[in-house]
mmCIF file of all heavy atoms in Angstrom:
data_model
loop_
_atom_site.group_PDB
_atom_site.id
_atom_site.type_symbol
_atom_site.label_atom_id
_atom_site.label_comp_id
_atom_site.label_asym_id
_atom_site.label_seq_id
_atom_site.Cartn_x
_atom_site.Cartn_y
_atom_site.Cartn_z
ATOM 1 N N LEU W 1 0.833 -1.176 0.015
ATOM 2 C CA LEU W 1 -0.026 0.018 0.025
ATOM 3 C C LEU W 1 0.890 1.231 -0.010
ATOM 4 O O LEU W 1 1.738 1.433 0.854
ATOM 5 C CB LEU W 1 -0.891 0.003 1.228
ATOM 6 C CG LEU W 1 -1.809 1.183 1.446
ATOM 7 C CD1 LEU W 1 -2.808 1.302 0.254
ATOM 8 C CD2 LEU W 1 -2.577 1.112 2.765
ATOM 9 N N ASP W 2 0.726 2.061 -0.986
ATOM 10 C CA ASP W 2 1.492 3.312 -1.096
ATOM 11 C C ASP W 2 3.027 2.989 -1.067
ATOM 12 O O ASP W 2 3.759 3.639 -0.230
ATOM 13 C CB ASP W 2 1.075 4.356 -0.030
ATOM 14 C CG ASP W 2 -0.329 4.739 -0.178
ATOM 15 O OD1 ASP W 2 -0.845 4.807 -1.304
ATOM 16 O OD2 ASP W 2 -0.951 5.014 0.895
ATOM 17 N N SER W 3 3.474 1.992 -1.749
ATOM 18 C CA SER W 3 4.916 1.635 -1.821
ATOM 19 C C SER W 3 5.420 1.078 -0.538
ATOM 20 O O SER W 3 6.647 0.952 -0.326
ATOM 21 C CB SER W 3 5.808 2.780 -2.276
ATOM 22 O OG SER W 3 5.383 3.243 -3.524
ATOM 23 N N LYS W 4 4.598 0.676 0.402
ATOM 24 C CA LYS W 4 5.009 0.019 1.712
ATOM 25 C C LYS W 4 4.514 -1.358 1.724
ATOM 26 O O LYS W 4 3.468 -1.675 1.117
ATOM 27 C CB LYS W 4 4.513 0.853 2.863
ATOM 28 C CG LYS W 4 5.040 2.243 2.975
ATOM 29 C CD LYS W 4 6.530 2.293 3.143
ATOM 30 C CE LYS W 4 7.108 3.728 3.162
ATOM 31 N NZ LYS W 4 8.498 3.760 3.417
ATOM 32 N N CYS W 5 5.208 -2.193 2.459
ATOM 33 C CA CYS W 5 4.865 -3.682 2.497
ATOM 34 C C CYS W 5 4.598 -4.088 3.910
ATOM 35 O O CYS W 5 5.122 -3.584 4.854
ATOM 36 C CB CYS W 5 6.008 -4.525 1.959
ATOM 37 S SG CYS W 5 6.501 -4.090 0.284
ATOM 38 N N GLY W 6 3.819 -5.188 4.064
ATOM 39 C CA GLY W 6 3.547 -5.783 5.299
ATOM 40 C C GLY W 6 2.792 -7.110 5.118
ATOM 41 O O GLY W 6 2.720 -7.614 3.968
ATOM 42 N N TYR W 7 2.239 -7.698 6.162
ATOM 43 C CA TYR W 7 1.509 -8.985 6.055
ATOM 44 C C TYR W 7 0.244 -8.833 6.812
ATOM 45 O O TYR W 7 0.145 -8.185 7.875
ATOM 46 C CB TYR W 7 2.293 -10.120 6.631
ATOM 47 C CG TYR W 7 3.330 -10.743 5.675
ATOM 48 C CD1 TYR W 7 4.655 -10.324 5.611
ATOM 49 C CD2 TYR W 7 2.964 -11.827 4.902
ATOM 50 C CE1 TYR W 7 5.567 -10.826 4.778
ATOM 51 C CE2 TYR W 7 3.904 -12.433 4.051
ATOM 52 C CZ TYR W 7 5.182 -11.922 3.960
ATOM 53 O OH TYR W 7 6.096 -12.527 3.129
ATOM 54 N N VAL W 8 -0.831 -9.504 6.292
ATOM 55 C CA VAL W 8 -2.112 -9.560 6.949
ATOM 56 C C VAL W 8 -2.524 -11.002 7.142
ATOM 57 O O VAL W 8 -1.999 -11.875 6.404
ATOM 58 C CB VAL W 8 -3.252 -8.856 6.178
ATOM 59 C CG1 VAL W 8 -2.933 -7.336 6.114
ATOM 60 C CG2 VAL W 8 -3.404 -9.438 4.788
ATOM 61 N N SER W 9 -3.401 -11.255 8.122
ATOM 62 C CA SER W 9 -3.834 -12.604 8.380
ATOM 63 C C SER W 9 -5.182 -12.866 7.588
ATOM 64 O O SER W 9 -5.813 -11.883 7.141
ATOM 65 C CB SER W 9 -4.007 -12.865 9.879
ATOM 66 O OG SER W 9 -5.151 -12.097 10.331
ATOM 67 N N LYS W 10 -5.646 -14.080 7.635
ATOM 68 C CA LYS W 10 -6.913 -14.429 6.982
ATOM 69 C C LYS W 10 -8.077 -13.805 7.613
ATOM 70 O O LYS W 10 -9.220 -13.737 7.043
ATOM 71 C CB LYS W 10 -7.101 -15.942 6.913
ATOM 72 C CG LYS W 10 -6.263 -16.624 5.882
ATOM 73 C CD LYS W 10 -6.645 -18.090 5.764
ATOM 74 C CE LYS W 10 -5.821 -18.696 4.575
ATOM 75 N NZ LYS W 10 -6.159 -20.151 4.412
ATOM 76 N N ILE W 11 -7.993 -13.327 8.824
ATOM 77 C CA ILE W 11 -9.113 -12.660 9.528
ATOM 78 C C ILE W 11 -9.042 -11.098 9.400
ATOM 79 O O ILE W 11 -9.816 -10.449 9.992
ATOM 80 C CB ILE W 11 -9.199 -13.036 10.983
ATOM 81 C CG1 ILE W 11 -7.921 -12.630 11.720
ATOM 82 C CG2 ILE W 11 -9.502 -14.566 11.103
ATOM 83 C CD1 ILE W 11 -8.087 -12.786 13.259
ATOM 84 N N GLY W 12 -8.104 -10.663 8.553
ATOM 85 C CA GLY W 12 -7.972 -9.248 8.255
ATOM 86 C C GLY W 12 -7.113 -8.456 9.152
ATOM 87 O O GLY W 12 -6.961 -7.235 9.062
ATOM 88 N N LYS W 13 -6.414 -9.127 10.100
ATOM 89 C CA LYS W 13 -5.535 -8.417 11.057
ATOM 90 C C LYS W 13 -4.197 -8.174 10.377
ATOM 91 O O LYS W 13 -3.617 -9.046 9.830
ATOM 92 C CB LYS W 13 -5.364 -9.308 12.283
ATOM 93 C CG LYS W 13 -4.450 -8.692 13.391
ATOM 94 C CD LYS W 13 -4.292 -9.600 14.482
ATOM 95 C CE LYS W 13 -3.286 -8.924 15.528
ATOM 96 N NZ LYS W 13 -2.636 -9.911 16.399
ATOM 97 N N GLU W 14 -3.706 -6.900 10.557
ATOM 98 C CA GLU W 14 -2.388 -6.549 10.088
ATOM 99 C C GLU W 14 -1.443 -7.110 11.064
ATOM 100 O O GLU W 14 -1.264 -6.707 12.200
ATOM 101 C CB GLU W 14 -2.259 -5.015 9.991
ATOM 102 C CG GLU W 14 -1.024 -4.558 9.346
ATOM 103 C CD GLU W 14 -0.934 -3.006 9.244
ATOM 104 O OE1 GLU W 14 -1.432 -2.480 8.299
ATOM 105 O OE2 GLU W 14 -0.363 -2.419 10.210
ATOM 106 N N VAL W 15 -0.666 -8.186 10.616
ATOM 107 C CA VAL W 15 0.279 -8.879 11.491
ATOM 108 C C VAL W 15 1.603 -8.179 11.462
ATOM 109 O O VAL W 15 2.244 -8.008 12.503
ATOM 110 C CB VAL W 15 0.368 -10.345 11.060
ATOM 111 C CG1 VAL W 15 1.363 -11.066 11.933
ATOM 112 C CG2 VAL W 15 -1.004 -11.011 11.105
ATOM 113 N N ILE W 16 2.108 -7.895 10.310
ATOM 114 C CA ILE W 16 3.370 -7.127 10.115
ATOM 115 C C ILE W 16 2.903 -5.752 9.555
ATOM 116 O O ILE W 16 2.311 -5.629 8.488
ATOM 117 C CB ILE W 16 4.302 -7.809 9.119
ATOM 118 C CG1 ILE W 16 4.476 -9.259 9.401
ATOM 119 C CG2 ILE W 16 5.625 -7.032 9.026
ATOM 120 C CD1 ILE W 16 5.171 -9.588 10.715
ATOM 121 N N SER W 17 3.220 -4.734 10.264
ATOM 122 C CA SER W 17 2.840 -3.358 9.876
ATOM 123 C C SER W 17 3.187 -3.085 8.422
ATOM 124 O O SER W 17 4.273 -3.377 7.981
ATOM 125 C CB SER W 17 3.538 -2.281 10.768
ATOM 126 O OG SER W 17 3.029 -2.429 12.051
ATOM 127 N N VAL W 18 2.303 -2.443 7.714
ATOM 128 C CA VAL W 18 2.484 -2.052 6.307
ATOM 129 C C VAL W 18 3.292 -0.722 6.348
ATOM 130 O O VAL W 18 2.731 0.307 6.169
ATOM 131 C CB VAL W 18 1.173 -1.962 5.573
ATOM 132 C CG1 VAL W 18 1.448 -1.575 4.060
ATOM 133 C CG2 VAL W 18 0.390 -3.234 5.696
ATOM 134 N N LYS W 19 4.593 -0.897 6.676
ATOM 135 C CA LYS W 19 5.469 0.281 6.797
ATOM 136 C C LYS W 19 6.791 0.079 6.183
ATOM 137 O O LYS W 19 7.577 1.011 6.060
ATOM 138 C CB LYS W 19 5.660 0.626 8.270
ATOM 139 C CG LYS W 19 6.453 -0.388 9.082
ATOM 140 C CD LYS W 19 6.627 0.077 10.483
ATOM 141 C CE LYS W 19 7.574 -0.800 11.252
ATOM 142 N NZ LYS W 19 7.827 -0.343 12.601
ATOM 143 N N TYR W 20 7.152 -1.111 5.717
ATOM 144 C CA TYR W 20 8.448 -1.419 5.225
ATOM 145 C C TYR W 20 8.604 -1.151 3.718
ATOM 146 O O TYR W 20 7.634 -1.330 2.988
ATOM 147 C CB TYR W 20 8.818 -2.859 5.491
ATOM 148 C CG TYR W 20 8.863 -3.135 6.960
ATOM 149 C CD1 TYR W 20 7.847 -3.786 7.643
ATOM 150 C CD2 TYR W 20 9.999 -2.775 7.727
ATOM 151 C CE1 TYR W 20 7.904 -4.029 9.020
ATOM 152 C CE2 TYR W 20 10.022 -3.020 9.096
ATOM 153 C CZ TYR W 20 9.005 -3.617 9.760
ATOM 154 O OH TYR W 20 9.058 -3.819 11.076
ATOM 155 N N ASP W 21 9.751 -0.707 3.283
ATOM 156 C CA ASP W 21 10.010 -0.439 1.873
ATOM 157 C C ASP W 21 10.089 -1.748 1.100
ATOM 158 O O ASP W 21 9.808 -1.803 -0.095
ATOM 159 C CB ASP W 21 11.327 0.325 1.700
ATOM 160 C CG ASP W 21 11.271 1.668 2.420
ATOM 161 O OD1 ASP W 21 10.185 2.300 2.461
ATOM 162 O OD2 ASP W 21 12.333 2.111 2.889
ATOM 163 N N TRP W 22 10.513 -2.805 1.730
ATOM 164 C CA TRP W 22 10.583 -4.138 1.197
ATOM 165 C C TRP W 22 10.497 -5.167 2.304
ATOM 166 O O TRP W 22 10.915 -4.855 3.469
ATOM 167 C CB TRP W 22 11.959 -4.308 0.482
ATOM 168 C CG TRP W 22 12.188 -5.623 -0.074
ATOM 169 C CD1 TRP W 22 11.818 -6.045 -1.336
ATOM 170 C CD2 TRP W 22 12.891 -6.718 0.481
ATOM 171 N NE1 TRP W 22 12.189 -7.407 -1.496
ATOM 172 C CE2 TRP W 22 12.858 -7.777 -0.396
ATOM 173 C CE3 TRP W 22 13.475 -6.917 1.750
ATOM 174 C CZ2 TRP W 22 13.415 -9.035 -0.066
ATOM 175 C CZ3 TRP W 22 14.042 -8.173 2.053
ATOM 176 C CH2 TRP W 22 14.001 -9.173 1.217
ATOM 177 N N ILE W 23 9.906 -6.296 1.995
ATOM 178 C CA ILE W 23 9.859 -7.346 2.974
ATOM 179 C C ILE W 23 9.981 -8.692 2.198
ATOM 180 O O ILE W 23 9.395 -8.896 1.125
ATOM 181 C CB ILE W 23 8.553 -7.272 3.814
ATOM 182 C CG1 ILE W 23 8.608 -8.272 4.962
ATOM 183 C CG2 ILE W 23 7.335 -7.508 2.942
ATOM 184 C CD1 ILE W 23 7.480 -8.021 6.021
ATOM 185 N N GLY W 24 10.724 -9.630 2.789
ATOM 186 C CA GLY W 24 10.898 -10.937 2.084
ATOM 187 C C GLY W 24 9.902 -11.916 2.660
ATOM 188 O O GLY W 24 9.021 -11.584 3.478
#
């Protein structure tokens, strides 16, 4: 989102904040 990366769970919870420029 807006050039930032993160991870979400199947229930819609943001698990890894969508704040990183890159994430593996």
Side-chain angles (χ1 to χ4, degrees):
L1 177 63
D2 299 327
S3 300
K4 298 295 180 178
C5 304
Y7 276 90
V8 294
S9 71
K10 283 186 175 181
I11 59 170
K13 180 182 177 202
E14 188 177 273
V15 179
I16 309 295
S17 294
V18 182
K19 68 177 187 178
Y20 297 101
D21 300 326
W22 177 86
I23 189 166

